[in-house]
Amino acid sequence: MEKEYIEPRGIYRSLRVLWKHVAVLLALVTAYLTFPKWFSWYNFGVSTANDAFDYKSTYLNALKTNLAGNWSEKYTSEPHLAGTNRGFVEWTKDKFEEYGLAARVDTYDIYVSYPHEHSLKLLRSKDDKLLYDAPLKEDEIKKDKTSIGGEKAGVIPTFLGYGANGNVTAEYVYVNYGTKEDFETLEKLGVNVKGRIAVARYGAIFRGLKVKFAQDAGAVGVLLYTDPGDDHGITPANGYKQYPDGPARHESLVQRGSVQFLGAPGATPGDPTTPGYASLPGAERQDPHQSIGRIPALPISYREVTPILKQLNGHGKKSPKEWEGKIEGIDYYTGPNTNVTLNLYSDQIFKIQPLHNVYGEIEGEKKDDVIIIGNHRDAWIKGGAGDPNSGSAVLIEIARALGQLKAAGFKFKRTIVLQSYDGEEYGLLGSTEFGENFSRELKRNVVAYINLDSAVVGPNLKLEASPVLNHLLRSVAKEIEYPNKKGGSLYKHFQEVRGDKIGTLGSGSDYTVFLEHLGIPSVDLGFQPGKNNAVYQYHSNYDSYYWMTHFGDPDFVFHNVAAKYVGLLALQLAQQEVIDFGTKDYADSLVSYFNVTEHLIPESWWKKDVSKCKSWKDFLRWDLDDVAASKEMAVVYSPRQLYPFPELFAAKQCKHSRLHLMVDVARSKDLKLKDIVKLTKTDIERLQNVTTIFDADSEALQVKFEGRDSLNFWQRIRLHFELKHHNAVLKYFERNFLHHKGLHERSWFKHIVFAAGRHTGYAGQDLPGLREAIEDDDFDRFVEWLGILSKAVRAVSAHL
Ligand SMILES: *[C@@H]1O[C@H](CO)[C@@H](O)[C@H](O)[C@H]1NC(C)=O
Ligand SMILES: *[C@@H]1O[C@H](CO)[C@@H](O)[C@H](O)[C@H]1NC(C)=O
Ligand SMILES: *[C@@H]1O[C@H](CO)[C@@H](O)[C@H](O)[C@H]1NC(C)=O
Ligand SMILES: *[C@@H]1O[C@H](CO)[C@@H](O)[C@H](O)[C@H]1NC(C)=O
Ligand SMILES: *[C@@H]1O[C@H](CO)[C@@H](O)[C@H](O)[C@H]1NC(C)=O
Ligand SMILES: *[C@@H]1O[C@H](CO)[C@@H](O)[C@H](O)[C@H]1NC(C)=O
């Protein structure tokens, strides 16, 4: 039986509301007369003196001194693989403390793997004669001291984190990028991967998924190499010199990295032995192989892959044109060549290791409203000047400048926390375990999360964000100068290089747990190489201080811009009384994502009857039935929980008869998919209308707050509650898009609008529930996800 939700109507409702209003007024008057001191909040806490404080100038002034290069040099001076550099933990904590932040270290016990032994040999099949023994080492470069001295000097061997141990000898085939489609193409071509080693080039998708798809296809091992064909023409063949003499990739460069199955069905970010819960001492451990592979894998350079791929010339099938890279002498045949085999041996030490996050906090007057700026500290290599130390250097600069603001007597309205995570590289370990351990507190308190990671590896700003932040990101970029000869603002530059386009978040960095597990609005930002800039020597020994000071950001000017931008973003979020979110931007994005989805619906689906569909009933269900979800919502998101009688103070109530419409629709016997797609679309369009009004209210409330001195006592009380209500709605706006059961086969991913692509890992997928149902040709699931989306959208419209 479906319960119909009937709203109380007419005189009873009016009387009930009237009684509440009278009651709250009486209570307030009595309280004021009895305990006038309780009403100090009536001045809104913050003194007007603080209002006059030009905090933005003070913050930017602090950054006229640029020490980013100092911090970069420090962080690139020693190896700091996840869980291995206790000195950097203490140094980071000391820095936060030196600048006046309350610092602490948070430790989790996490399953990781460390390099031990490896080898790669090309053999003649008939007699195992050794044809080539790959050195599996990057060249030492005199000018770049980070690359010299081997393991004794802290140089970290080439390896793939979580790559399984094994010693396999087999024929091998070239699998292009190793995407799902690439393995399908091989099948069509009649090239069997089973029992063979897959040789894939880096690019297109997250490397761990290449290993997963290879394993699924029956491969016994994987080699990952970097092809100069993916360097946008900055290659020796085009006359560019190799690092350190020019901007091209060094031919011996090896990209290390994690081969965790990021984003794949069944896999979770974080410790693979504690999926969905924190790796505390004594935590129950599970078999990690949902999230990591069973076949060995090694990363190699393009110089090392050359003799290997050369053996495939003329063997197997000629690859499709798009599969061709740019290594000289290679014809990019799939193979195999039955006359040669590879012996791939990889041995790593798997263990549970304490990993340390470091947090530094400046408490605000509204201490339970928190803005987090996060970045990881661990790196695959000794240097890591770009990844992650450009972000780490920027984080320390932000701490220094915020510290000066605090020292000058400035009162922060909301709390700002800087976080330095361990173990991001292996699979977002530190941030995910933190997010899982404190999920309740974070959902309740965090307003927004700002992610750094590779903050500077070139001059072009890239932004990916939850759309509620779009407005903020653009407006703050207008306040910052872009450091080039032409001049102009950072925003003008962003328009020029990105066409003003803010991207969709996928995965691959620490924002994942905040946005996709906890529903916290997030942004990931960084300066990246443009078309003519030096190739970034990603995850290699050459991502060093020398590279940064000669190619990436020689004078650390972009580090400085990043510190200014991120700090001002956090300050704007912290200081503006009405949280600076734009909800209309979110609704607009939903409209465009839904529009794209609509065009992907198969023709034959449109006229299909949905009333016989199992999931149709869910489509009709209102939150009231959904005990788990509504309980969680009641605790976490509802303004009703924050203070009584929200209807008295809500700026504007939006009423609509959607529910009645639904019930009418349900009675119609002959219901087609097109009808409910149209309904959902109407829901989203209504959200556009509602958010237009809501954003205008935000502005009006902010103006009213700024002119609060001219308000009388009762007007102030009203404004106080209006603000409280409005800010609660803003703060929890994005939480409404969490679905407590999570995505199909990926229950850890709770966000219904944004997810890591299940076949790409890095790239974001909008409306994943709907898109995946279309990909899987699952009509019933599509209807179910329409219901989930429309329910969420209706809930948001009702809250606003
Ligand atoms: C930063 O580095 C410069 C140049 O190496 C040095 O002169 C200066 O003392 C350093 N400042 C700090 C605060 O470490
Ligand atoms: C790996 O296997 C090969 C034979 O397939 C063997 O010769 C070699 O010793 C093995 N290596 C290790 C380290 O076990
Ligand atoms: C393998 O080698 C033999 C002789 O060395 C040669 O006759 C044969 O054509 C080769 N096969 C392939 C597939 O290259
Ligand atoms: C996990 O969270 C609890 C509080 O919920 C806290 O007491 C504990 O210190 C946290 N553990 C770690 C390792 O941070
Ligand atoms: C919807 O998509 C179509 C084509 O994909 C495009 O032409 C149209 O402008 C889009 N409409 C909206 C509102 O985004
Ligand atoms: C949104 O507002 C426009 C203009 O006021 C109106 O025509 C339209 O019907 C509204 N849409 C919905 C879905 O409420």
Side-chain angles (χ1 to χ4, degrees), residues 221-282:
V222 178
L223 286 181
L224 299 177
Y225 80 96
T226 313
D227 199 296
D230 295 303
D231 285 339
H232 310 288
I234 311 287
T235 58
N238 288 341
Y240 293 96
K241 290 210 162 96
Q242 293 178 34
Y243 179 77
D245 304 317
R249 179 184 303 282
H250 194 276
E251 63 188 30
S252 78
L253 172 147
V254 177
Q255 180 191 131
R256 295 156 188 77
S258 168
V259 288
Q260 196 189 37
F261 295 167
L262 185 69
T268 52
D271 185 334
T273 67
T274 64
Y277 54 95
S279 302
L280 301 176

Coordinates of all heavy atoms in Angstrom, one line a residue, residues 221-282:
G221 N 49.6 -10.0 -16.5 CA 50.4 -8.9 -16.0 C 50.2 -7.7 -16.8 O 49.6 -7.7 -17.9
V222 N 50.7 -6.5 -16.3 CA 50.5 -5.3 -17.1 C 51.8 -4.4 -17.0 O 52.5 -4.4 -16.0 CB 49.4 -4.5 -16.4 CG1 49.2 -3.1 -17.1 CG2 48.0 -5.2 -16.4
L223 N 52.1 -3.9 -18.2 CA 53.1 -2.8 -18.3 C 52.5 -1.5 -18.6 O 51.7 -1.5 -19.6 CB 54.2 -3.2 -19.4 CG 55.1 -4.3 -19.1 CD1 56.1 -4.4 -20.3 CD2 56.0 -4.0 -17.9
L224 N 52.8 -0.5 -17.9 CA 52.3 0.9 -18.2 C 53.4 1.7 -18.6 O 54.4 1.8 -17.9 CB 51.6 1.5 -17.0 CG 50.4 0.7 -16.4 CD1 49.8 1.4 -15.2 CD2 49.3 0.6 -17.5
Y225 N 53.3 2.4 -19.8 CA 54.4 3.3 -20.2 C 53.8 4.6 -20.7 O 52.6 4.7 -21.0 CB 55.3 2.6 -21.3 CG 54.6 2.7 -22.7 CD1 55.0 3.8 -23.6 CD2 53.6 1.8 -23.1 CE1 54.4 3.9 -24.8 CE2 53.0 2.0 -24.3 CZ 53.4 3.0 -25.2 OH 52.8 3.1 -26.4
T226 N 54.7 5.6 -20.8 CA 54.3 6.9 -21.2 C 54.7 7.1 -22.7 O 55.9 7.0 -23.0 CB 55.0 8.0 -20.4 OG1 54.9 7.7 -19.0 CG2 54.3 9.4 -20.6
D227 N 53.7 7.4 -23.5 CA 54.0 7.6 -25.0 C 54.2 9.1 -25.3 O 53.3 9.9 -24.9 CB 52.9 7.0 -25.8 CG 53.3 6.7 -27.2 OD1 53.7 7.7 -28.0 OD2 53.4 5.5 -27.6
P228 N 55.3 9.5 -26.0 CA 55.4 10.9 -26.3 C 54.3 11.4 -27.2 O 54.1 12.6 -27.3 CB 56.8 11.0 -27.0 CG 57.1 9.5 -27.4 CD 56.4 8.7 -26.4
G229 N 53.6 10.5 -27.8 CA 52.4 10.9 -28.6 C 51.3 11.6 -27.8 O 50.5 12.3 -28.3
D230 N 51.4 11.5 -26.5 CA 50.5 12.1 -25.6 C 51.0 13.4 -25.0 O 50.4 14.0 -24.0 CB 50.0 11.2 -24.5 CG 49.3 10.0 -25.1 OD1 48.3 10.2 -25.8 OD2 49.7 8.8 -24.9
D231 N 52.1 13.9 -25.5 CA 52.7 15.2 -25.0 C 52.4 16.4 -25.8 O 53.1 17.4 -25.8 CB 54.3 15.0 -24.9 CG 54.6 14.1 -23.7 OD1 53.8 13.9 -22.8 OD2 55.7 13.5 -23.7
H232 N 51.3 16.4 -26.5 CA 50.8 17.6 -27.3 C 51.9 18.2 -28.1 O 52.0 19.4 -28.2 CB 50.3 18.6 -26.3 CG 49.3 18.0 -25.3 ND1 48.0 17.6 -25.6 CD2 49.4 17.7 -24.0 CE1 47.4 17.1 -24.6 NE2 48.3 17.1 -23.6
G233 N 52.7 17.4 -28.8 CA 53.6 17.9 -29.7 C 54.9 18.4 -29.1 O 55.9 18.7 -29.9
I234 N 55.0 18.5 -27.8 CA 56.3 18.9 -27.2 C 57.2 17.7 -27.1 O 57.4 17.1 -26.1 CB 56.1 19.5 -25.8 CG1 54.9 20.5 -25.8 CG2 57.3 20.1 -25.2 CD1 55.2 21.8 -26.4
T235 N 57.8 17.3 -28.3 CA 58.6 16.1 -28.4 C 59.9 16.4 -29.1 O 60.0 17.3 -29.9 CB 57.9 15.0 -29.2 OG1 57.6 15.5 -30.5 CG2 56.5 14.7 -28.5
P236 N 60.9 15.5 -28.8 CA 62.2 15.7 -29.5 C 62.0 15.6 -31.1 O 62.7 16.3 -31.8 CB 63.0 14.5 -29.1 CG 62.5 14.1 -27.7 CD 61.0 14.5 -27.8
A237 N 61.0 14.8 -31.5 CA 60.8 14.7 -33.0 C 60.4 16.0 -33.5 O 60.7 16.3 -34.7 CB 59.7 13.6 -33.2
N238 N 59.8 16.9 -32.7 CA 59.4 18.2 -33.2 C 60.4 19.3 -32.8 O 60.1 20.5 -32.9 CB 58.0 18.6 -32.6 CG 56.9 17.8 -33.2 OD1 57.0 17.3 -34.3 ND2 55.7 17.8 -32.5
G239 N 61.6 18.8 -32.5 CA 62.7 19.7 -32.2 C 62.8 20.3 -30.8 O 63.6 21.2 -30.5
Y240 N 62.0 19.8 -29.9 CA 62.1 20.2 -28.5 C 63.1 19.4 -27.8 O 63.1 18.1 -27.9 CB 60.7 20.1 -27.8 CG 59.7 21.1 -28.3 CD1 58.8 20.7 -29.2 CD2 59.7 22.4 -27.8 CE1 57.8 21.5 -29.7 CE2 58.7 23.3 -28.3 CZ 57.8 22.8 -29.3 OH 56.9 23.7 -29.8
K241 N 64.0 20.0 -27.0 CA 65.0 19.3 -26.2 C 64.3 18.6 -25.0 O 63.3 19.1 -24.4 CB 66.1 20.2 -25.8 CG 67.0 20.7 -26.9 CD 68.4 21.0 -26.4 CE 69.4 21.0 -27.5 NZ 69.6 22.4 -28.0
Q242 N 64.9 17.5 -24.5 CA 64.4 16.8 -23.4 C 64.9 17.5 -22.1 O 66.0 18.1 -22.1 CB 64.9 15.4 -23.3 CG 64.4 14.5 -24.4 CD 65.0 13.1 -24.4 OE1 65.2 12.6 -23.3 NE2 65.2 12.5 -25.5
Y243 N 64.1 17.4 -21.0 CA 64.5 17.8 -19.7 C 65.9 17.3 -19.4 O 66.2 16.1 -19.7 CB 63.5 17.3 -18.7 CG 63.9 17.7 -17.2 CD1 63.7 19.0 -16.8 CD2 64.5 16.8 -16.4 CE1 64.0 19.3 -15.5 CE2 64.9 17.1 -15.1 CZ 64.6 18.4 -14.6 OH 65.0 18.8 -13.4
P244 N 66.9 18.0 -18.8 CA 66.8 19.4 -18.3 C 67.2 20.4 -19.3 O 67.2 21.6 -19.0 CB 67.8 19.3 -17.2 CG 68.8 18.4 -17.7 CD 68.2 17.4 -18.5
D245 N 67.4 20.0 -20.6 CA 67.8 21.0 -21.6 C 66.7 21.7 -22.3 O 66.9 22.6 -23.1 CB 68.8 20.3 -22.6 CG 69.9 19.6 -21.9 OD1 70.5 20.2 -21.0 OD2 70.2 18.5 -22.3
G246 N 65.5 21.2 -22.1 CA 64.3 21.8 -22.8 C 63.1 21.3 -22.2 O 63.1 20.6 -21.1
P247 N 61.9 21.6 -22.8 CA 60.6 21.4 -22.2 C 60.1 20.0 -22.4 O 59.0 19.6 -21.8 CB 59.7 22.4 -22.9 CG 60.3 22.5 -24.2 CD 61.8 22.4 -24.1
A248 N 60.7 19.1 -23.2 CA 60.1 17.8 -23.5 C 60.4 16.9 -22.3 O 61.3 17.0 -21.5 CB 60.7 17.3 -24.8
R249 N 59.6 15.8 -22.3 CA 59.7 14.7 -21.3 C 61.1 14.0 -21.5 O 61.6 13.9 -22.6 CB 58.6 13.7 -21.6 CG 58.6 12.5 -20.8 CD 57.5 11.5 -21.2 NE 56.2 12.2 -21.3 CZ 55.4 12.4 -20.2 NH1 55.8 12.0 -19.0 NH2 54.3 13.0 -20.3
H250 N 61.7 13.6 -20.4 CA 62.9 12.9 -20.5 C 62.6 11.4 -20.9 O 61.6 10.9 -20.4 CB 63.7 12.9 -19.2 CG 65.1 12.4 -19.3 ND1 65.4 11.1 -19.4 CD2 66.3 13.1 -19.6 CE1 66.7 10.9 -19.6 NE2 67.3 12.1 -19.7
E251 N 63.3 10.9 -21.9 CA 63.0 9.6 -22.4 C 63.0 8.4 -21.4 O 62.5 7.4 -21.6 CB 63.9 9.2 -23.6 CG 65.4 9.1 -23.2 CD 66.3 9.0 -24.4 OE1 65.9 9.5 -25.5 OE2 67.3 8.4 -24.3
S252 N 63.8 8.7 -20.3 CA 63.9 7.6 -19.3 C 62.8 7.8 -18.1 O 62.8 7.1 -17.2 CB 65.3 7.6 -18.6 OG 65.4 8.6 -17.7
L253 N 62.0 8.8 -18.3 CA 61.0 9.2 -17.2 C 60.0 8.0 -17.0 O 59.5 7.4 -18.0 CB 60.2 10.4 -17.6 CG 59.0 10.8 -16.7 CD1 58.9 12.3 -16.7 CD2 57.7 10.2 -17.2
V254 N 59.8 7.7 -15.8 CA 58.8 6.6 -15.4 C 57.7 7.3 -14.5 O 58.1 7.9 -13.5 CB 59.5 5.4 -14.7 CG1 58.4 4.4 -14.3 CG2 60.5 4.8 -15.6
Q255 N 56.5 7.1 -14.9 CA 55.4 7.6 -14.1 C 55.0 6.5 -13.1 O 54.5 5.4 -13.4 CB 54.2 7.9 -15.0 CG 53.0 8.4 -14.1 CD 51.7 8.5 -14.9 OE1 50.6 8.0 -14.4 NE2 51.7 9.1 -16.0
R256 N 55.3 6.8 -11.8 CA 54.8 5.9 -10.8 C 53.4 6.1 -10.5 O 52.8 7.1 -11.1 CB 55.6 6.1 -9.5 CG 57.1 5.7 -9.6 CD 57.9 6.5 -8.5 NE 59.4 6.4 -8.7 CZ 60.1 7.0 -9.6 NH1 59.5 7.8 -10.5 NH2 61.4 6.8 -9.7
G257 N 52.8 5.4 -9.6 CA 51.4 5.7 -9.2 C 50.7 4.5 -8.6 O 51.2 3.4 -8.6
S258 N 49.4 4.8 -8.2 CA 48.6 3.7 -7.6 C 47.8 3.0 -8.7 O 47.4 3.6 -9.6 CB 47.7 4.3 -6.6 OG 46.7 3.4 -6.2
V259 N 47.7 1.7 -8.5 CA 46.8 0.9 -9.4 C 45.6 0.4 -8.6 O 45.0 -0.6 -8.9 CB 47.5 -0.2 -10.1 CG1 48.4 0.4 -11.2 CG2 48.3 -1.1 -9.2
Q260 N 45.1 1.2 -7.6 CA 43.9 0.9 -6.9 C 42.8 1.1 -8.0 O 42.9 1.9 -8.9 CB 43.7 1.9 -5.8 CG 42.6 1.4 -4.8 CD 42.3 2.5 -3.8 OE1 42.3 3.7 -4.1 NE2 42.0 2.1 -2.6
F261 N 41.6 0.3 -7.8 CA 40.5 0.4 -8.8 C 39.6 1.6 -8.5 O 38.4 1.4 -8.4 CB 39.7 -0.9 -8.7 CG 40.5 -2.2 -9.1 CD1 40.0 -3.4 -8.9 CD2 41.7 -2.1 -9.8 CE1 40.7 -4.6 -9.2 CE2 42.4 -3.2 -10.2 CZ 41.9 -4.5 -9.9
L262 N 40.1 2.8 -8.5 CA 39.4 4.0 -8.2 C 38.1 4.1 -9.0 O 38.2 4.2 -10.2 CB 40.3 5.2 -8.4 CG 39.7 6.5 -8.0 CD1 39.6 6.6 -6.4 CD2 40.6 7.6 -8.5
G263 N 37.0 4.2 -8.3 CA 35.7 4.5 -9.0 C 35.0 3.2 -9.6 O 33.9 3.3 -10.0
A264 N 35.7 2.1 -9.6 CA 35.1 0.9 -10.2 C 34.0 0.3 -9.3 O 34.1 0.5 -8.1 CB 36.2 -0.2 -10.5
P265 N 33.1 -0.4 -9.9 CA 32.0 -1.1 -9.1 C 32.7 -2.0 -8.1 O 33.6 -2.7 -8.4 CB 31.3 -1.9 -10.1 CG 31.4 -1.2 -11.4 CD 32.8 -0.6 -11.4
G266 N 32.2 -1.9 -6.8 CA 32.7 -2.7 -5.7 C 33.9 -2.1 -5.0 O 34.2 -2.5 -3.9
A267 N 34.6 -1.2 -5.7 CA 35.8 -0.7 -5.1 C 35.5 0.6 -4.3 O 34.5 1.2 -4.6 CB 36.8 -0.3 -6.1
T268 N 36.3 0.9 -3.2 CA 36.1 2.1 -2.5 C 37.4 2.8 -2.4 O 38.4 2.2 -2.3 CB 35.6 1.8 -1.1 OG1 36.5 0.9 -0.5 CG2 34.2 1.3 -1.0
P269 N 37.4 4.2 -2.4 CA 38.6 4.9 -2.0 C 39.0 4.6 -0.6 O 38.2 4.1 0.2 CB 38.2 6.4 -2.2 CG 36.9 6.4 -3.0 CD 36.2 5.1 -2.6
G270 N 40.2 5.0 -0.2 CA 40.6 4.8 1.1 C 41.3 3.4 1.3 O 41.5 2.7 0.3
D271 N 41.5 3.0 2.5 CA 42.1 1.8 2.9 C 41.3 0.6 2.3 O 40.2 0.5 2.6 CB 42.2 1.6 4.4 CG 43.0 0.4 4.8 OD1 43.0 -0.6 4.1 OD2 43.5 0.4 6.0
P272 N 41.9 -0.2 1.4 CA 41.1 -1.2 0.7 C 40.7 -2.4 1.7 O 39.9 -3.2 1.3 CB 42.1 -1.8 -0.4 CG 43.4 -1.4 0.0 CD 43.3 -0.1 0.8
T273 N 41.3 -2.4 2.9 CA 40.9 -3.4 3.8 C 39.8 -2.9 4.8 O 39.3 -3.7 5.6 CB 42.1 -3.9 4.7 OG1 42.5 -2.9 5.5 CG2 43.2 -4.4 3.8
T274 N 39.4 -1.7 4.7 CA 38.4 -1.2 5.6 C 37.4 -0.3 4.7 O 37.2 0.9 5.0 CB 38.9 -0.3 6.7 OG1 39.5 0.9 6.2 CG2 39.9 -1.0 7.6
P275 N 36.7 -1.0 3.8 CA 35.8 -0.2 2.9 C 34.7 0.5 3.6 O 33.9 -0.2 4.3 CB 35.3 -1.3 1.9 CG 35.5 -2.6 2.6 CD 36.6 -2.4 3.5
G276 N 34.6 1.8 3.5 CA 33.4 2.5 4.1 C 33.5 2.8 5.6 O 32.7 3.5 6.1
Y277 N 34.6 2.4 6.3 CA 34.8 2.7 7.7 C 36.2 3.0 8.0 O 37.1 2.6 7.2 CB 34.2 1.7 8.6 CG 34.7 0.3 8.4 CD1 35.8 -0.2 9.1 CD2 34.1 -0.6 7.4 CE1 36.3 -1.5 8.9 CE2 34.6 -1.9 7.2 CZ 35.7 -2.3 8.0 OH 36.2 -3.6 7.8
A278 N 36.5 3.7 9.1 CA 37.8 4.2 9.4 C 38.8 3.1 9.8 O 38.4 2.1 10.5 CB 37.7 5.3 10.5
S279 N 40.0 3.2 9.4 CA 41.1 2.3 9.8 C 41.7 2.6 11.1 O 42.8 3.0 11.3 CB 42.2 2.4 8.8 OG 41.7 2.1 7.5
L280 N 40.8 2.4 12.2 CA 41.3 2.7 13.5 C 42.0 1.4 14.0 O 41.8 0.3 13.5 CB 40.1 3.0 14.4 CG 39.3 4.2 13.9 CD1 38.1 4.5 14.8 CD2 40.2 5.5 13.9
P281 N 42.9 1.5 15.1 CA 43.5 0.3 15.6 C 42.4 -0.7 16.0 O 41.4 -0.3 16.6 CB 44.2 0.9 16.8 CG 44.4 2.3 16.6 CD 43.3 2.8 15.8
G282 N 42.6 -1.9 15.6 CA 41.7 -2.9 16.0 C 40.5 -3.0 15.0 O 39.6 -3.9 15.2

